Amino acid sequence: MKFLIYPFFVFTCLLVVGSCTQVEYNRSVGNQSRENIAEPQAVQLEKPEYKVVYRKSNLEALSLGRNRIEIQELMGEPDGKSLDGGNGYLWDYRRPVFDETTDEVYGWSLISFKFLKGLCAYVNIRLEQLPPELLQEQNTKKIFKF
């Protein structure tokens, strides 16, 4: 019986000593530790240069009262066309817009023209930056362009 108590006692002591250490292991996902997952990675992406940039104030002032042909000559083919509740047409564009109040170019702004009775009745401009995924894709195309 003494022979069984000694190995059991040694095993129990090793188990207690080994489990009481204060070593903390970080779980990892792939090659990232827990700290890296919590912080968003800052991706250094250069802002693209645009060939044509519209001024927000010019779009609002110069397009009101214009017909669809004049708007299409100014902006090009719309990215989306839709009916606005049966009483007008909406044309949507994604274009870079310069905002004078912030002194910044918003590269993926949504510009919506509403036409009533064939003329532009109002312009709605929602200033937005290019999503990081599209910006990264554009930068990748620049790098591999031959």
Side-chain angles (χ1 to χ4, degrees):
M1 191 69 159
K2 285 185 176 181
F3 295 111
L4 291 176
I5 294 176
Y6 182 71
F8 179 73
F9 178 73
V10 170
F11 177 72
T12 307
C13 288
L14 287 175
L15 186 65
V16 169
V17 169
S19 64
C20 290
T21 61
Q22 293 188 358
V23 176
E24 182 179 330
Y25 296 101
N26 288 335
R27 290 184 181 177
S28 63
V29 177
N31 291 336
Q32 295 179 336
S33 66
R34 181 177 274 175
E35 294 86 25
N36 291 342
I37 293 172
E39 298 175 9
Q41 293 180 354
V43 179
Q44 295 293 333
L45 300 174
E46 63 183 54
K47 289 191 176 185
E49 292 186 24
Y50 302 104
K51 294 178 183 175
V52 177
V53 177
Y54 299 95
R55 286 181 158 294
K56 183 179 178 188
S57 60
N58 286 353
L59 282 172
E60 293 168 338
L62 298 177
S63 57
L64 294 177
R66 306 277 181 178
N67 63 26
R68 288 180 258 172
I69 295 171
E70 292 171 318
I71 297 295
Q72 192 165 359
E73 287 175 354
L74 173 69
M75 301 292 292
E77 188 66 29
D79 298 328
K81 294 180 180 180
S82 62
L83 291 173
D84 183 38
N87 60 353
Y89 293 97
L90 280 176
W91 282 10
D92 294 327
Y93 293 89
R94 287 279 183 189
R95 300 288 190 271
V97 174
F98 175 73
D99 183 29
E100 294 88 0
T101 57
T102 60
D103 250 2
E104 190 172 347
V105 174
Y106 294 87
W108 209 54
S109 297
L110 178 64
I111 307 165
S112 298
F113 295 95
K114 182 173 182 176
F115 296 96
L116 295 172
K117 298 180 184 177
L119 299 177
C120 181
Y122 75 86
V123 180
N124 187 19
I125 301 171
R126 193 168 68 196
L127 300 171
E128 295 180 17
Q129 291 292 4
L130 199 64
E133 298 84 21
L134 292 178
L135 189 60
Q136 189 173 17
E137 184 179 308
Q138 281 185 354
N139 288 341
T140 305
K141 285 181 182 178
K142 280 185 188 176
I143 293 171
F144 295 113
K145 199 172 191 177
F146 296 103

